[in-house]
Amino acid sequence: MAQSTYTITGSLTLVDSKIEGSQTNCYGTGGYSDIEGGMEVTIRNDIGKIIAIGRTDAGYRQQGEYSSVTCIFPFKVTDIPRSPFYSIEIGRRGKVNFSYTELQKQKWKVNFSLSR
């Protein structure tokens, strides 16, 4: 029997030379000043109706060579009803569309990136 609701997990990775903040609370500046922890994650169904809303966690810098230019914002949105298609929007950065089948194949994980 199919599940009645789903959970989407993922992240938005910002790659920019002007990332500010600490190791555990980084954020964008300039043209990316709207990229920060707590951004709304909006899930819409195939007819454009909002069916779930979540928020990103605080941004963090991954250890390694690119830690000074990369900030990752994880998120988790729960209780998403089944739909043939989904539209996911983080903050005001536009929607990305997925089919139910695509999300199932990806184990309900999505990763986005913004870079300059």
Side-chain angles (χ1 to χ4, degrees):
M1 181 150 106
Q3 286 179 233
S4 58
T5 64
Y6 300 87
T7 297
I8 293 177
T9 60
S11 65
L12 170 67
T13 301
L14 175 62
V15 180
D16 188 26
S17 61
K18 295 180 171 55
I19 290 174
E20 295 289 331
S22 67
Q23 193 75 23
T24 57
N25 189 21
C26 53
Y27 49 88
T29 62
Y32 290 127
S33 62
D34 61 312
I35 306 299
E36 60 187 358
M39 291 177 291
E40 196 167 84
V41 180
T42 306
I43 313 290
R44 290 180 171 82
N45 65 10
D46 59 323
I47 59 171
K49 179 182 175 193
I50 295 174
I51 55 173
I53 295 175
R55 294 212 171 266
T56 60
D57 294 340
Y60 71 91
R61 297 175 189 260
Q62 239 178 355
Q63 296 292 329
E65 183 179 354
Y66 300 106
S67 66
S68 66
V69 297
T70 304
C71 186
I72 302 168
F73 301 88
F75 63 86
K76 179 178 183 179
V77 183
T78 60
D79 297 322
I80 303 167
R82 184 173 175 155
S83 176
F85 292 93
Y86 298 91
S87 173
I88 303 172
E89 183 174 21
I90 300 175
R92 56 184 175 117
R93 289 294 169 158
K95 301 173 188 125
V96 180
N97 299 313
F98 296 90
S99 70
Y100 172 85
T101 305
E102 283 175 300
L103 287 174
Q104 223 179 7
K105 283 180 185 173
Q106 294 173 205
K107 298 183 180 346
W108 298 89
K109 293 180 182 168
V110 293
N111 295 300
F112 306 102
S113 63
L114 286 171
S115 60
R116 199 178 302 235

